[in-house]
Amino acid sequence: MDDVLKGFLRDHQSEAYLLLRRCAERQKTFLLRSDLLEILGSVCSELKSDVLASSALASLIQTAQEAVLEPPWMYVATRPRIGRWRYVRLHMEIADAEEISVSEFLALKERIVNGPTEGDDWPLEIDLAPFNRGFFRLRESRSIGQGVSFLNRKLSSELFQKLDNGDKVLLDFLRVHQFQGRQLMLNQRIENVTELRRAVRLADEYLAQLPKTSPWEDSASKMQELGFEMGWGKSIDRMRDTLRLLSDILEAPEPSQLEEFLSRIPMIFNIVILSPHGYFSQSNVLGLPDTGGQVVYILDQARALEREMCLRLEEQGIDSRPQILIVTRLIPEAKGTGCDQKTEHVLGTQNARILRVPFRTADGHILPHWLSRFEVWPYLERFAIEAEREVLVELGGRPGIVIGNYSDGNLVASLMARRLGVTQCTIAHALEKAKYLYSDLFWKDNEARYHFSCQFTADLIAMNTADFIIASTYQEIAGTDDSVGQYESYSSFTMPGLCRVVNGIDPFDPKFNIVSPGSDPDIYFPYTDSSRRLTELKDTIDELIFGDGSVTDARGKFTDITKPIIFTMARLDRIKNINGLVDWYSRCDRLRELANLLVIGGHIDPSQSKDAEEQEQIADLHAMFESRQLQGQMRWVGFQSDRKLVGEIYRCVADTRGVFVQPALFEAYGLTVIEAMTTGLPTFATCYGGPLEIIQHEVSGFHIDPNRGDDATTLIADFLDRSRQDSETWDRLSRGAIERIESRYTWKRYGQRMMTLSRVYGFWKYVTNLERQETRRYLEMLYALQFRRLAEQVGS
């Protein structure tokens, strides 16, 4: 225990006692970080002394994420640094402190929720730390999300030592690649590393005599005689460059050279992307339950990956048509979405398609209707097995990599990748645990509706079986100095009566990588690019935004159409907080005077929605329309599924010198933020989640706190007021938004990075113990003994 803290408690008992008593006076068992900071500030003000404010006790409270009161003790979970946790208990009466283990802290929470019960000493404790004891991990918080760079630095020297000792692992790896039955890279003529070094020298000397632009065929006979096969490059110049990279690696592996060399190896010809839940199609699905940004993301992802695969294979001299399968659920009652069709070509691609596989009941019958993402768990294992068979037929063999999306897709990816023996990538998109306060602790209260027991167990399994994990932002993994990351929240938690996770996921694991998606450049582009503007949509958009009522799925009409527009667009659910924005706007006379409010989302008629939460939000919006007299200043339009139309709406709002507001209580990434900024629309977005990282405050947009609506409206109003007086204010933010996106958030960059990561992790998985077999066996037991049992209970 920290001697400085103990010393303060001993020497300043009255100050410490007052602080702890104020915590107890809240009469709450669980205190959030905001509660603790508020109490600390109040007591420091009351004492009118800097003694407490500058003390070790204050530092403890300032780094606390939560506290649990069990008089006479107060237990505190502190996070002194990102990813680093400690647990302390403070005695309220004698002002003493002692450090406790994470297991003790979780046991306390269980005891408070369930009360003392028999068998408390023997809960199911999930602890993956022992399996990773000898495995390398990052040390510095700033390195989180840069796993591939760390791996290359760590393992390159080890590889060099192995090669010098006669290890043939690199040779074996270069021989394993084939294309349509044809050997690639190396043949059996080269038997050891010494011969490989010599062959590389001889090949370079030979190729130097040929024209730089000559194709592989002109040198094939001699190169095969030396031990080389197709795949080194489409031209002599490219082949020599690739051979020199290999020569440098054999001389002394350098991480960046190794990554560049691996990125060129033709080892991925087919990809499977898994996304089982929701309505997955290219038309008439956006806005339906469980169907939103993830569908857009995956379709754009497929296009970006295909472009990059084609480019890399062409550069290496492989004449191939790579295949991408997006595997999702077939829904016979498709409601006009096309989700009842087995296959669907992905528009804008050469050879990517959607493959739909049905959910089946226990007796083998196809489940005909849509199912909430919270209810899919009993069907996933059978879906994974049937999907695997379909994939092998469609591709004519195994894929090079399996990419999972969301909790259900990631679980299926883990099952499929294990059976096929291929690389697995996990993309969470949004982890439900981070959305709902104490969703783990009070899981039983939510089990009937959300089945978090299945979801959180599936998350643990998929995260830990994945070869690498993709996050869109740093904070998605590790949060900020003040907030916990989505993945970090899985490091330790408890679900009383089910399991106690002591060490679940480690944000310092080198499997984490940040790869940020972008927006479709053909749809979302700056409003200033007049030659590409969709002028044919002007009348449609004018009617949509300024219409007189002929648009049936709309409410409200602007009285003064010359005002700038505050625009927001999202699903109508509590987390997206659209109703919160309407509330802020309606209570701010200054903002109502400066600008109109345009909301696009949901249905105007609640009977058109099948989602209970959305129906509640719709009813609340209508009530505010009436009670706040918003008729002339707010326009509410139902969800728009035409992405080209939406792209032009952003630009039309920019024409009014308006702004985009994304007020979510939490946003895992923020695709609409990317879209709005790409078009040059000044953007105000939540400070909780991805937008905190995407936006540079006051440079490329603004951060707003969705819990402080008055501050948010003041910030928006101040900006609009300044822009009205000085147009350069608006122009500067518009330019900053565009420049920020172009520098970091494009699908081209995404495709390049994903293809490199797939190859690098595939390589290290082949030549080292990255598969972590012990961990996998442990997780297989968790799946068989716990997940299956929980899944069987869903819907029963």
Side-chain angles (χ1 to χ4, degrees), residues 66-79:
E66 65 171 322
V68 184
L69 273 70
E70 188 184 47
W73 294 98
M74 183 170 84
Y75 296 74
V76 184
T78 72
R79 185 173 174 262

PDB file of all heavy atoms in Angstrom, residues 66-79:
ATOM      1  N   GLU A  66     -14.835   3.964 -10.133  1.00  0.00           N
ATOM      2  CA  GLU A  66     -16.050   3.668  -9.394  1.00  0.00           C
ATOM      3  C   GLU A  66     -15.682   3.372  -7.945  1.00  0.00           C
ATOM      4  O   GLU A  66     -14.523   3.078  -7.625  1.00  0.00           O
ATOM      5  CB  GLU A  66     -16.810   2.487  -9.999  1.00  0.00           C
ATOM      6  CG  GLU A  66     -16.068   1.160  -9.922  1.00  0.00           C
ATOM      7  CD  GLU A  66     -16.925  -0.024 -10.337  1.00  0.00           C
ATOM      8  OE1 GLU A  66     -18.130  -0.027 -10.016  1.00  0.00           O
ATOM      9  OE2 GLU A  66     -16.385  -0.951 -10.972  1.00  0.00           O
ATOM     10  N   ALA A  67     -16.680   3.455  -7.076  1.00  0.00           N
ATOM     11  CA  ALA A  67     -16.506   3.096  -5.669  1.00  0.00           C
ATOM     12  C   ALA A  67     -17.728   2.312  -5.219  1.00  0.00           C
ATOM     13  O   ALA A  67     -18.836   2.511  -5.729  1.00  0.00           O
ATOM     14  CB  ALA A  67     -16.324   4.341  -4.809  1.00  0.00           C
ATOM     15  N   VAL A  68     -17.495   1.419  -4.261  1.00  0.00           N
ATOM     16  CA  VAL A  68     -18.569   0.607  -3.709  1.00  0.00           C
ATOM     17  C   VAL A  68     -18.568   0.799  -2.199  1.00  0.00           C
ATOM     18  O   VAL A  68     -17.523   0.646  -1.552  1.00  0.00           O
ATOM     19  CB  VAL A  68     -18.385  -0.883  -4.049  1.00  0.00           C
ATOM     20  CG1 VAL A  68     -19.573  -1.689  -3.546  1.00  0.00           C
ATOM     21  CG2 VAL A  68     -18.204  -1.070  -5.547  1.00  0.00           C
ATOM     22  N   LEU A  69     -19.729   1.132  -1.647  1.00  0.00           N
ATOM     23  CA  LEU A  69     -19.836   1.369  -0.215  1.00  0.00           C
ATOM     24  C   LEU A  69     -20.418   0.152   0.488  1.00  0.00           C
ATOM     25  O   LEU A  69     -21.507  -0.319   0.144  1.00  0.00           O
ATOM     26  CB  LEU A  69     -20.706   2.594   0.068  1.00  0.00           C
ATOM     27  CG  LEU A  69     -19.959   3.942   0.066  1.00  0.00           C
ATOM     28  CD1 LEU A  69     -19.533   4.308  -1.350  1.00  0.00           C
ATOM     29  CD2 LEU A  69     -20.825   5.036   0.653  1.00  0.00           C
ATOM     30  N   GLU A  70     -19.676  -0.331   1.475  1.00  0.00           N
ATOM     31  CA  GLU A  70     -20.130  -1.375   2.380  1.00  0.00           C
ATOM     32  C   GLU A  70     -19.643  -0.977   3.767  1.00  0.00           C
ATOM     33  O   GLU A  70     -18.591  -1.425   4.225  1.00  0.00           O
ATOM     34  CB  GLU A  70     -19.584  -2.740   1.969  1.00  0.00           C
ATOM     35  CG  GLU A  70     -20.206  -3.894   2.775  1.00  0.00           C
ATOM     36  CD  GLU A  70     -19.593  -5.234   2.421  1.00  0.00           C
ATOM     37  OE1 GLU A  70     -18.345  -5.320   2.358  1.00  0.00           O
ATOM     38  OE2 GLU A  70     -20.354  -6.196   2.205  1.00  0.00           O
ATOM     39  N   PRO A  71     -20.366  -0.030   4.406  1.00  0.00           N
ATOM     40  CA  PRO A  71     -19.898   0.534   5.669  1.00  0.00           C
ATOM     41  C   PRO A  71     -19.447  -0.558   6.642  1.00  0.00           C
ATOM     42  O   PRO A  71     -20.099  -1.623   6.727  1.00  0.00           O
ATOM     43  CB  PRO A  71     -21.124   1.282   6.184  1.00  0.00           C
ATOM     44  CG  PRO A  71     -21.884   1.631   4.949  1.00  0.00           C
ATOM     45  CD  PRO A  71     -21.669   0.485   4.023  1.00  0.00           C
ATOM     46  N   PRO A  72     -18.307  -0.303   7.335  1.00  0.00           N
ATOM     47  CA  PRO A  72     -17.566   0.965   7.388  1.00  0.00           C
ATOM     48  C   PRO A  72     -16.499   1.121   6.307  1.00  0.00           C
ATOM     49  O   PRO A  72     -15.628   1.971   6.448  1.00  0.00           O
ATOM     50  CB  PRO A  72     -16.925   0.894   8.772  1.00  0.00           C
ATOM     51  CG  PRO A  72     -16.637  -0.566   8.944  1.00  0.00           C
ATOM     52  CD  PRO A  72     -17.786  -1.288   8.311  1.00  0.00           C
ATOM     53  N   TRP A  73     -16.553   0.319   5.247  1.00  0.00           N
ATOM     54  CA  TRP A  73     -15.534   0.395   4.210  1.00  0.00           C
ATOM     55  C   TRP A  73     -16.081   1.034   2.938  1.00  0.00           C
ATOM     56  O   TRP A  73     -17.247   0.876   2.613  1.00  0.00           O
ATOM     57  CB  TRP A  73     -15.014  -1.003   3.861  1.00  0.00           C
ATOM     58  CG  TRP A  73     -14.260  -1.701   4.958  1.00  0.00           C
ATOM     59  CD1 TRP A  73     -14.751  -2.630   5.826  1.00  0.00           C
ATOM     60  CD2 TRP A  73     -12.884  -1.520   5.293  1.00  0.00           C
ATOM     61  NE1 TRP A  73     -13.769  -3.050   6.681  1.00  0.00           N
ATOM     62  CE2 TRP A  73     -12.587  -2.381   6.368  1.00  0.00           C
ATOM     63  CE3 TRP A  73     -11.850  -0.715   4.792  1.00  0.00           C
ATOM     64  CZ2 TRP A  73     -11.340  -2.476   6.960  1.00  0.00           C
ATOM     65  CZ3 TRP A  73     -10.595  -0.804   5.367  1.00  0.00           C
ATOM     66  CH2 TRP A  73     -10.344  -1.669   6.446  1.00  0.00           C
ATOM     67  N   MET A  74     -15.206   1.711   2.244  1.00  0.00           N
ATOM     68  CA  MET A  74     -15.481   2.160   0.889  1.00  0.00           C
ATOM     69  C   MET A  74     -14.394   1.565  -0.015  1.00  0.00           C
ATOM     70  O   MET A  74     -13.201   1.791   0.220  1.00  0.00           O
ATOM     71  CB  MET A  74     -15.484   3.682   0.756  1.00  0.00           C
ATOM     72  CG  MET A  74     -15.843   4.143  -0.671  1.00  0.00           C
ATOM     73  SD  MET A  74     -16.130   5.923  -0.819  1.00  0.00           S
ATOM     74  CE  MET A  74     -14.447   6.521  -1.014  1.00  0.00           C
ATOM     75  N   TYR A  75     -14.816   0.814  -1.010  1.00  0.00           N
ATOM     76  CA  TYR A  75     -13.894   0.147  -1.931  1.00  0.00           C
ATOM     77  C   TYR A  75     -13.805   0.968  -3.219  1.00  0.00           C
ATOM     78  O   TYR A  75     -14.834   1.352  -3.776  1.00  0.00           O
ATOM     79  CB  TYR A  75     -14.387  -1.253  -2.261  1.00  0.00           C
ATOM     80  CG  TYR A  75     -14.430  -2.194  -1.071  1.00  0.00           C
ATOM     81  CD1 TYR A  75     -15.422  -2.074  -0.091  1.00  0.00           C
ATOM     82  CD2 TYR A  75     -13.482  -3.195  -0.926  1.00  0.00           C
ATOM     83  CE1 TYR A  75     -15.463  -2.935   0.994  1.00  0.00           C
ATOM     84  CE2 TYR A  75     -13.522  -4.074   0.153  1.00  0.00           C
ATOM     85  CZ  TYR A  75     -14.512  -3.934   1.114  1.00  0.00           C
ATOM     86  OH  TYR A  75     -14.544  -4.787   2.181  1.00  0.00           O
ATOM     87  N   VAL A  76     -12.587   1.207  -3.678  1.00  0.00           N
ATOM     88  CA  VAL A  76     -12.374   2.085  -4.827  1.00  0.00           C
ATOM     89  C   VAL A  76     -11.566   1.364  -5.909  1.00  0.00           C
ATOM     90  O   VAL A  76     -10.516   0.784  -5.626  1.00  0.00           O
ATOM     91  CB  VAL A  76     -11.634   3.375  -4.414  1.00  0.00           C
ATOM     92  CG1 VAL A  76     -11.509   4.322  -5.610  1.00  0.00           C
ATOM     93  CG2 VAL A  76     -12.355   4.060  -3.265  1.00  0.00           C
ATOM     94  N   ALA A  77     -12.070   1.386  -7.132  1.00  0.00           N
ATOM     95  CA  ALA A  77     -11.335   0.883  -8.295  1.00  0.00           C
ATOM     96  C   ALA A  77     -10.690   2.074  -8.977  1.00  0.00           C
ATOM     97  O   ALA A  77     -11.392   2.943  -9.503  1.00  0.00           O
ATOM     98  CB  ALA A  77     -12.276   0.171  -9.258  1.00  0.00           C
ATOM     99  N   THR A  78      -9.375   2.143  -8.930  1.00  0.00           N
ATOM    100  CA  THR A  78      -8.671   3.292  -9.492  1.00  0.00           C
ATOM    101  C   THR A  78      -7.923   2.883 -10.758  1.00  0.00           C
ATOM    102  O   THR A  78      -7.535   1.722 -10.934  1.00  0.00           O
ATOM    103  CB  THR A  78      -7.681   3.894  -8.481  1.00  0.00           C
ATOM    104  OG1 THR A  78      -6.561   3.023  -8.331  1.00  0.00           O
ATOM    105  CG2 THR A  78      -8.350   4.108  -7.142  1.00  0.00           C
ATOM    106  N   ARG A  79      -7.713   3.863 -11.587  1.00  0.00           N
ATOM    107  CA  ARG A  79      -7.030   3.667 -12.871  1.00  0.00           C
ATOM    108  C   ARG A  79      -5.986   4.775 -13.006  1.00  0.00           C
ATOM    109  O   ARG A  79      -6.196   5.788 -13.676  1.00  0.00           O
ATOM    110  CB  ARG A  79      -8.066   3.737 -13.995  1.00  0.00           C
ATOM    111  CG  ARG A  79      -7.572   3.441 -15.408  1.00  0.00           C
ATOM    112  CD  ARG A  79      -8.788   3.407 -16.313  1.00  0.00           C
ATOM    113  NE  ARG A  79      -8.489   3.282 -17.713  1.00  0.00           N
ATOM    114  CZ  ARG A  79      -8.449   4.304 -18.588  1.00  0.00           C
ATOM    115  NH1 ARG A  79      -8.658   5.546 -18.166  1.00  0.00           N
ATOM    116  NH2 ARG A  79      -8.196   4.096 -19.870  1.00  0.00           N
TER     117      ARG A  79
END
